[in-house]
Amino acid sequence: MAWDALSLVDAADDRPLIERRAVMRGDVLEMQARTMIERVPQVAGIAQRWAVSPYRGCAHACRGCGARAGHRRLGLDAGRDFETRIVVKPNAVTRLRADLARWGGEELAAGVSGDCYQAAEETYRLMPGVIGALAEAGVPFTVYTKGPLVLRDADLLAQAGAQVAVSIAFVDERIRRAVEPGAPSAQARLELVSALVEAGVACRVLMAPVLPLLSDAADQLAATVRRIAGTGARAVEPVVLRLPPGTRGWYLEWLGQAHPQLVARYEELYDRSGLPSADYEQRITGQIAQLCRVYGMGCGPVVAQGREPLVAQLALV
């Protein structure tokens, strides 16, 4: 399968690369980060070009997650391993502070390689330090999450002037159970947005991924935007499903089992890099933009406002 692990073995030790370098605690693998600021793949569809991710892999097990390929580079598979073998960077805060000392101030995303408020964060508590480091450096950032645990850090996020983008792609619970089996329900995430807004956190909804032929009907889009509008979110940022290498095989295998009649249409709709047809994407995002206007919300990424750093910054080199 396309999502199988890459061959990263040597004659002396046939374990995956990550197992030879990490400290294993059950299914969690602790690995010291060499850098914390990583480039966001262009296919991801979000506004930021660079990201900070204390965790790699995600227990939310979303079938269309575009970060799955990262596990292949560690010698793990992009399917079940991505969902169950979470890589933790215990030195994330120390390493991030060192990276920020050379950073030019461009906006960062948090949580691209794995939700930074998934269950592992309850144990490792890395995000308060990450938020503090970014705030001290005056670097604008957006946290992408589905996890209600983000409320624990609401005060820190509000003080830092951070934005939080909660992912709610659809409100049909049957679809959620099929394609996001480990994630909170759409209702729980809608309530999370309301709670963040009430706590003074700048919050918008990442309406992603919109699933072709599964969650893209006009009535489905309208129901989702209507429910989002009731939360007080400032804007909706729509992203149609991407199927980059590592995600494509895992998602299409599921699609072939659950909806075999749709596989051929998906093959026509997506190019080799995993991007959907431009005409299709423009039609869907246009419909969502029109719905947002009806409900008085912005549509698209919010322009980040930089802050004066609390520590001296060096130019990016």
Side-chain angles (χ1 to χ4, degrees):
M1 301 300 298
W3 46 267
D4 283 344
L6 299 180
S7 178
L8 293 171
V9 299
D10 59 38
D13 191 340
D14 63 359
R15 292 177 301 164
L17 174 66
I18 184 67
E19 291 185 5
R20 287 179 274 143
R21 294 184 176 178
V23 175
M24 300 179 64
R25 302 188 189 280
D27 286 334
V28 174
L29 300 101
E30 297 180 356
M31 187 172 184
Q32 299 297 307
R34 296 180 180 178
T35 183
M36 280 298 296
I37 300 179
E38 302 174 326
R39 185 177 293 277
V40 176
Q42 188 173 3
V43 75
I46 63 173
Q48 296 80 12
R49 297 191 302 167
W50 300 91
V52 173
S53 296
Y55 305 97
R56 190 178 296 279
C58 189
H60 291 155
C62 301
R63 298 188 187 279
C65 180
R68 288 180 175 273
H71 259 47
R72 297 179 67 200
R73 291 190 288 273
L74 299 175
L76 302 173
D77 75 57
R80 196 66 62 198
D81 282 351
F82 179 83
E83 304 167 1
T84 60
R85 309 192 73 186
I86 308 303
V87 179
V88 180
K89 305 171 185 177
N91 67 329
V93 177
T94 302
R95 185 64 259 171
L96 177 59
R97 288 184 184 279
D99 288 353
L100 289 172
R102 301 183 298 274
W103 190 241
E106 185 175 348
E107 183 186 7
L108 297 172
V112 173
S113 296
D115 197 316
C116 45
Y117 285 103
Q118 60 182 297
E121 172 63 12
E122 294 186 36
T123 300
Y124 288 91
R125 297 184 63 88
L126 296 173
M127 281 304 294
V130 167
I131 294 167
L134 291 166
E136 290 170 6
V139 175
F141 64 101
T142 295
V143 174
Y144 290 89
T145 186
K146 294 182 174 76
L149 184 60
V150 68
L151 278 173
R152 181 199 66 194
D153 296 338
D155 288 346
L156 294 175
L157 290 162
Q159 292 167 12
Q163 298 188 48
V164 175
V166 177
S167 176
I168 307 172
F170 36 76
V171 293
D172 187 323
E173 186 62 8
R174 293 172 301 174
I175 297 176
R176 199 281 305 168
R177 287 194 295 267
V179 301
E180 299 177 345
S185 68
Q187 179 60 34
R189 283 178 262 168
L190 290 163
E191 293 171 2
L192 171 60
V193 174
S194 295
L196 287 167
V197 171
E198 186 175 349
V201 178
C203 188
R204 67 183 190 272
V205 170
L206 185 72
M207 194 167 163
V210 178
L211 305 175
L213 310 176
L214 293 173
S215 70
D216 62 349
D219 59 340
Q220 292 172 304
L221 298 178
T224 302
V225 174
R226 181 176 67 250
R227 297 278 298 280
I228 292 169
T231 67
R234 60 166 56 182
V236 169
E237 184 176 350
V239 180
V240 172
L241 175 70
R242 266 68 170 153
L243 292 176
T247 300
R248 187 184 191 112
W250 186 245
Y251 182 86
L252 291 182
E253 180 180 319
W254 165 79
L255 190 71
Q257 295 169 353
H259 303 281
Q261 73 282 8
L262 299 182
V263 173
R265 180 67 182 109
Y266 267 73
E267 296 286 3
E268 295 172 355
L269 189 61
Y270 282 86
D271 65 20
R272 296 181 66 180
S273 70
L275 290 173
S277 155
D279 289 344
Y280 171 81
E281 185 170 35
Q282 290 168 9
R283 175 168 63 84
I284 296 301
T285 56
Q287 287 179 259
I288 295 171
Q290 184 175 9
L291 288 164
C292 287
R293 287 193 291 272
V294 169
Y295 288 102
M297 291 188 294
C299 187
V302 177
V303 177
Q305 300 296 320
R307 303 171 66 241
E308 287 299 319
L310 302 182
V311 295
Q313 292 290 290
L314 302 178
L316 178 63
V317 295

